[in-house]
C-alpha cells in the first residue's frame, strides 16, 4: 500500500478518488477506520497515511503519535474549513485554529480540493497540494431516461446550511411546474411541508443508489449560509451527472466560469428559479444540459487531474517492499492501543448517542 486514505467512503473521498486513472488508482487505497489497535499495523505498512477531514479521534487516541514512532509520513485531506464549521455545526467544536495548526505541524503535506481551500490551508502549512474532482465514467452507467410519464422530480441533497435557501427560493418557484415532487434527505429539509424524504446515506455508493431509485429530473443547490462557502468544490455537478438530473445552482465560488454553455443553470432570485424550472420542465432541455455538462466534466475533471499531487505524495512516502514489512512487524511488536482516556470518552459518547 503506497498512499492510504484513512476515512469513510463518503462523497468527500468518492468525488476525488473513484474516477482516477488506473495507474493512479493503483497507488491509492481507501481504509475505513474500524478498530484502531487493529488498524495501526496496517497503517504502519503504508508509504503515506492521509487522514480525511476530521482528526479528533486520531489525535485524542494517540494514533498519530504511534505512526510518528513507526516513521510513517502523514498528510491531511479536507474539502471543508473545519475552523469555520466549528461555529456553525455540532461536532466540530474541537477544530480551533490552534488545534488545526498543531495537527498540521505533524503533517508532511496538506491537501485541499479547491484553490480557495488550498489558500486557507496555506495558513497552516508550507506544503499545500491541490486534489481536484475526478469524473468517474463508470458512475454514468445505468441512469434511466428521465421521461415525462410521471411528475417532475426535483431533488435537494445539500446540507443544513442550504435549507433556508431551499425555503426562500426553490419552494416558491416550484409552482411553475404543474406536476412536481420535491425530494430531500431526512433532516432539516424534511420539515418543509410537502416534501418527500429518504434516509440520509453517508456512503457515496449508497447515496447514488438511493437517489437513483427516486429518479430525479432536476438537482437543486440553493444558496448556503456558511463561512465555509468560499471553499466548496463543484462536486455537486458530478452528482448531477451520476443521477441524470439537470443542475440548478446559486452563484458561488465553486461554479466560477461554469454556465449555460457547460450545462449549468444559475438562479439568484425567485424569478430566476422559476425561469430555470420552466426551461428544464421538458426532458429535451434537461438532456441538452446534461450533455453539455458531461463535455465540460471530461475536460475539467479528467482521471489524471491529481497526477502531480499523487506524484508529490509518493516522493514524500516511506519506502515499500522489505522496509514496509519491517514497519508492519515493528508495529505488531508495539502492541499499541488507544489511550485509556480516549476509550472512556468513546464509551460515554456511544452511550449518549444510543440514549438520545
Amino acid at each position: 500500500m503506497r498512499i492510504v486514505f484513512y476515512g469513510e467512503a463518503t462523497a468527500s473521498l468518492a468525488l476525488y478518488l473513484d474516477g482516477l486513472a488506473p495507474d493512479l488508482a493503483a497507488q491509492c487505497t481507501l481504509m475505513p477506520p474500524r478498530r484502531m489497535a487493529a488498524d495501526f499495523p496496517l497503517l504502519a505498512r503504508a508509504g503515506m497515511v492521509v487522514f480525511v477531514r476530521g482528526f479528533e479521534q486520531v489525535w485524542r487516541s494517540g494514533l498519530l503519535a504511534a505512526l510518528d514512532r513507526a516513521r510513517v509520513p502523514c498528510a491531511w485531506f479536507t474539502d471543508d474549513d473545519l475552523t469555520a464549521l466549528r461555529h456553525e455545526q455540532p461536532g466540530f467544536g474541537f477544530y480551533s485554529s490552534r488545534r488545526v495548526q498543531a495537527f498540521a505541524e505533524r503533517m508532511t503535506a496538506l491537501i485541499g480540493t479547491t484553490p480557495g481551500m488550498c489558500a486557507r490551508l496555506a495558513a497552516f502549512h508550507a506544503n499545500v497540494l491541490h486534489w481536484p474532482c475526478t469524473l468517474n465514467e463508470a458512475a454514468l452507467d445505468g441512469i434511466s431516461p428521465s421521461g415525462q410519464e410521471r411528475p417532475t422530480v426535483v431533488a435537494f441533497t445539500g446540507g443544513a446550511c442550504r435549507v433556508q435557501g431551499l425555503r426562500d427560493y426553490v419552494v416558491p418557484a416550484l409552482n411553475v411546474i404543474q406536476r412536481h415532487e420535491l425530494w430531500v434527505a431526512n433532516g432539516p429539509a424534511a420539515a418543509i411541508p410537502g416534501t418527500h424524504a429518504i434516509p440520509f446515506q453517508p456512503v457515496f455508493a449508497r447515496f447514488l443508489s438511493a437517489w437513483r431509485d427516486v429518479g430525479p429530473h432536476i438537482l437543486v443547490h440553493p444558496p448556503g449560509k456558511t463561512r465555509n462557502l468560499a471553499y466548496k468544490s463543484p462536486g455537486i455537478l458530478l452528482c448531477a451527472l451520476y443521477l441524470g438530473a439537470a443542475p440548478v445552482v446559486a452563484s458561488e465560488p465553486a461554479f466560477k466560469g461554469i454556465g449555460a454553455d457547460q450545462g449549468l443553470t444559475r438562479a439568484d432570485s425567485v424569478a430566476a428559479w422559476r425561469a430555470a424550472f420552466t426551461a428544464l420542465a421538458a426532458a429535451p432541455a434537461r438532456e441538452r444540459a446534461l450533455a453539455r455538462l458531461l463535455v465540460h466534466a471530461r475536460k475539467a475533471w479528467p482521471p489524471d487531474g491529481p497526477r502531480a499531487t499523487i506524484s508529490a505524495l509518493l516522493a514524500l512516502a516511506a519506502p515499500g517492499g522489505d522496509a514496509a514489512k519491517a514497519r508492519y512487524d515493528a508495529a505488531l511488536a508495539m502492541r499499541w492501543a488507544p489511550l485509556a482516556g480516549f476509550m472512556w470518552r468513546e464509551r460515554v459518547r456511544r452511550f449518549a448517542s444510543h440514549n438520545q
Side-chain angles (χ1 to χ4, degrees):
M1 300 186 294
R2 299 301 294 142
I3 302 173
V4 175
F5 285 81
Y6 194 50
E8 302 290 349
T10 65
S12 292
L13 281 180
L15 294 172
Y16 305 92
L17 298 183
D18 286 358
L20 288 176
D23 65 313
L24 299 181
Q27 301 292 340
C28 301
T29 300
L30 173 61
M31 183 175 170
R34 293 299 176 254
R35 291 181 57 250
M36 283 189 178
D39 292 346
F40 170 58
L42 299 174
L43 294 172
R45 191 167 191 165
M48 171 77 67
V49 172
V50 180
F51 299 113
V52 180
R53 286 177 56 86
F55 56 81
E56 181 177 0
Q57 290 187 318
V58 167
W59 185 272
R60 292 191 185 279
S61 66
L63 177 60
L64 179 57
L67 289 171
D68 282 345
R69 293 197 297 275
R71 299 181 183 276
V72 180
C74 298
W76 181 39
F77 175 102
T78 185
D79 59 348
D80 281 318
D81 177 11
L82 304 191
T83 66
L85 294 181
R86 75 185 296 257
H87 299 290
E88 302 173 358
Q89 295 184 23
F92 289 91
F94 176 82
Y95 298 99
S96 65
S97 294
R98 179 180 59 82
R99 284 195 174 117
V100 171
Q101 182 66 68
F103 179 75
E105 288 171 358
R106 308 277 288 274
M107 301 293 105
T108 59
L110 306 186
I111 307 165
T113 52
T114 65
M117 190 70 250
C118 289
R120 174 63 179 135
L121 292 176
F124 300 107
H125 204 285
N127 187 20
V128 177
L129 305 173
H130 178 214
W131 192 302
C133 294
T134 57
L135 171 67
N136 181 14
E137 295 274 352
L140 300 171
D141 296 339
I143 300 173
S144 302
S146 56
Q148 290 294 107
E149 71 282 356
R150 58 194 179 95
T152 299
V153 176
V154 178
F156 169 73
T157 63
C161 72
R162 299 184 187 276
V163 172
Q164 193 59 49
L166 184 69
R167 290 179 182 272
D168 292 346
Y169 294 93
V170 175
V171 172
L174 280 171
N175 59 9
V176 299
I177 305 177
Q178 186 174 9
R179 297 174 62 234
H180 69 266
E181 295 176 354
L182 176 58
W183 285 76
V184 302
N186 276 340
I192 297 175
T195 57
H196 304 263
I198 66 171
F200 173 71
Q201 298 287 352
V203 175
F204 191 64
R206 294 175 185 167
F207 163 90
L208 289 182
S209 177
W211 279 103
R212 281 178 174 172
D213 286 345
V214 172
H217 301 98
I218 299 171
L219 183 62
V220 297
H221 205 58
K225 186 177 181 181
T226 170
R227 302 179 192 181
N228 189 48
L229 202 64
Y231 313 119
K232 291 288 189 181
S233 87
I236 191 68
L237 303 185
L238 290 179
C239 293
L241 283 172
Y242 301 156
L243 296 176
V248 184
V249 306
S251 294
E252 58 187 65
F255 311 117
K256 183 179 180 180
I258 310 174
D261 289 344
Q262 292 77 35
L264 181 62
T265 303
R266 296 171 180 269
D268 294 308
S269 67
V270 174
W273 281 93
R274 286 195 177 110
F277 290 145
T278 300
L280 294 172
R286 297 194 298 269
E287 291 163 4
R288 286 193 297 271
L290 287 167
R292 290 172 181 170
L293 182 57
L294 181 56
V295 170
H296 172 73
R298 284 172 170 155
K299 293 178 180 176
W301 309 305
D304 64 347
R307 184 174 297 277
T309 293
I310 292 174
S311 295
L313 292 174
L314 290 173
L316 296 168
D322 292 342
K325 177 63 164 58
R327 291 195 302 276
Y328 175 78
D329 291 340
L332 285 177
M334 284 173 60
R335 298 182 181 275
W336 176 83
L339 297 172
F342 169 79
M343 297 301 293
W344 278 109
R345 182 188 294 269
E346 284 298 288
R347 290 189 184 106
V348 170
R349 182 185 62 81
R350 286 196 294 269
F351 178 81
S353 65
H354 291 160
N355 287 276
Q356 284 181 345

